[in-house]
Amino acid sequence: MILGKYRGATDSGTKVVVVGGPYQTRTAVFAIIASVAALSLGDALIKTAKLSLPLWQMYILRSALLLPVLWWFARSQGPITPKAPFWTVMRSILLVVMWLSYYSSLSLMPLSLAAAAYYTGPIFIVALTALISSKWPRRRTLFSIGCGFIGVLMIIRPDMAGFDLGTLLPMIAAFLYACAMVLTSVKCQNDDPVALALALHLAFIMVGALLGLFSGREGSFIFGPWQPVDLRLFATVAALAALILIGSVGAAVAYQKGPPTTVAAFDYSYLVFSLIWGRLFFGELPGNIALIGIGVIVSAGLLAMPPRQRRSK
């Protein structure tokens, strides 16, 4: 591929020339931080409410609540036809299967190990970006991503005593996430983020309905039977729908507006917000090593900030 043809192709030099207008790095960083804050808060709400819906039902209910809002908002902005329909569909499939892979791993392995494996995603993003551009990123960017990963390990301190093939599931999820975000940057950069979110949640409903055909298995996280939804559970699902909307739109904006490797470094802040919500909701206080890990993650994100960039006209 020709260097500079796609947005986010590389950040390997002091000056980067990319087609289509300048990066908006600050906007991208704000968007990814808002995205991971919302997603981590959703996880805290699930833990607080002790939500016990099968995955296929969650896919359907959450996205069914979002579709009317997304449709109205997208229509108010004009035509909602994707500019790159094939890549929009591929992006949606990648993200739906990504969540399926990650959540499936939680029943096979400790959560800390799954999280550690999943947060190899930014490293995959760096590798994929380099593959697309045919140039390896700057050493400073590679160092910042490595520091971010070390910070994650310091926070979650996974138990690596044994190896299970289930470890491959969150790593597959990480790879799929990286593919989806790089694809957003290089193929869907001109699509409206709301349209991308609309396509994503249509995919959630379709996959949920497909999985529902095999439901009814007691004790199964994916194929469990339909659970009755009372008012409290509905309110929780509505809150989760709002948070996933912020998360999905925020991620789309971030990878459209900023260099993928820089956004990937700030993606690690998910762990920081998880610690914050843990303290507020459950009284969990991180230890000294975890606090140092937070500092390492923040430093890695700042280190990944690229020099001033421009695009060719």
Side-chain angles (χ1 to χ4, degrees):
M1 293 187 181
I2 300 174
L3 179 62
K5 180 178 180 181
Y6 299 119
R7 167 175 228 160
T10 184
D11 62 352
S12 58
T14 303
K15 292 184 179 180
V16 180
V17 179
V18 280
V19 177
Y23 281 129
Q24 300 175 37
T25 304
R26 291 183 180 179
T27 299
V29 168
F30 175 81
I32 195 62
I33 290 176
S35 173
V36 297
L39 293 173
S40 59
L41 179 57
D43 290 342
L45 289 179
I46 291 175
K47 183 176 179 179
T48 300
K50 296 182 179 178
L51 198 60
S52 58
L53 291 177
L55 184 62
W56 69 272
Q57 186 179 355
M58 170 60 72
Y59 273 6
I60 294 174
L61 290 180
R62 186 179 61 184
S63 295
L65 289 177
L66 284 174
L67 279 182
V69 177
L70 289 170
W71 180 263
W72 173 82
F73 194 76
R75 290 290 295 175
S76 68
Q77 294 182 321
I80 59 174
T81 303
K83 294 181 174 59
F86 174 78
W87 296 114
T88 298
V89 170
M90 289 300 299
R91 176 186 183 273
S92 299
I93 293 174
L94 286 170
L95 289 174
V96 171
V97 178
M98 179 272 289
W99 284 116
L100 182 62
S101 298
Y102 179 69
Y103 283 134
S104 296
S105 72
L106 299 182
S107 62
L108 303 175
M109 58 192 302
L111 177 60
S112 61
L113 186 56
Y118 175 70
Y119 265 82
T120 57
I123 298 175
F124 282 123
I125 289 174
V126 171
L128 289 173
T129 302
L131 181 63
I132 291 173
S133 66
S134 298
K135 276 195 174 182
W136 201 242
R138 293 173 297 124
R139 283 178 292 180
R140 189 179 75 171
T141 299
L142 292 172
F143 180 72
S144 68
I145 294 296
C147 287
F149 184 67
I150 291 172
V152 169
L153 294 179
M154 293 174 71
I155 289 175
I156 61 179
R157 284 176 286 178
D159 180 11
M160 304 296 289
F163 176 79
D164 193 297
L165 289 177
T167 306
L168 297 178
L169 285 174
M171 294 191 70
I172 290 172
F175 178 73
L176 293 173
Y177 175 78
C179 289
M181 294 304 102
V182 173
L183 188 152
T184 301
S185 180
V186 303
K187 291 294 187 179
C188 302
Q189 70 270 35
N190 295 320
D191 282 294
D192 190 290
V194 177
L196 293 178
L198 183 63
L200 173 60
H201 289 286
L202 282 171
F204 271 127
I205 291 177
M206 294 175 66
V207 173
L210 180 62
L211 294 175
L213 296 176
F214 305 94
S215 64
R217 304 178 188 178
E218 292 290 344
S220 173
F221 175 68
I222 299 177
F223 301 108
W226 176 274
Q227 299 297 314
V229 181
D230 55 21
L231 183 60
R232 181 178 179 181
L233 193 56
F234 179 83
T236 302
V237 173
L240 292 173
L243 291 171
I244 193 67
L245 175 62
I246 296 172
S248 57
V249 173
V253 170
Y255 283 94
Q256 282 182 329
K257 300 295 184 181
T261 49
T262 297
V263 177
F266 280 92
D267 210 333
Y268 283 114
S269 61
Y270 178 95
L271 275 300
V272 178
F273 284 108
S274 294
L275 290 172
I276 294 173
W277 305 137
R279 175 60 176 170
L280 292 178
F281 285 90
F282 315 112
E284 299 170 351
L285 183 64
N288 292 333
I289 295 179
L291 291 175
I292 294 174
I294 292 175
V296 171
I297 290 172
V298 173
S299 299
L302 295 176
L303 185 63
M305 293 291 287
R308 182 177 174 270
Q309 297 175 342
R310 64 183 177 87
R311 289 191 181 189
S312 62
K313 296 182 180 179

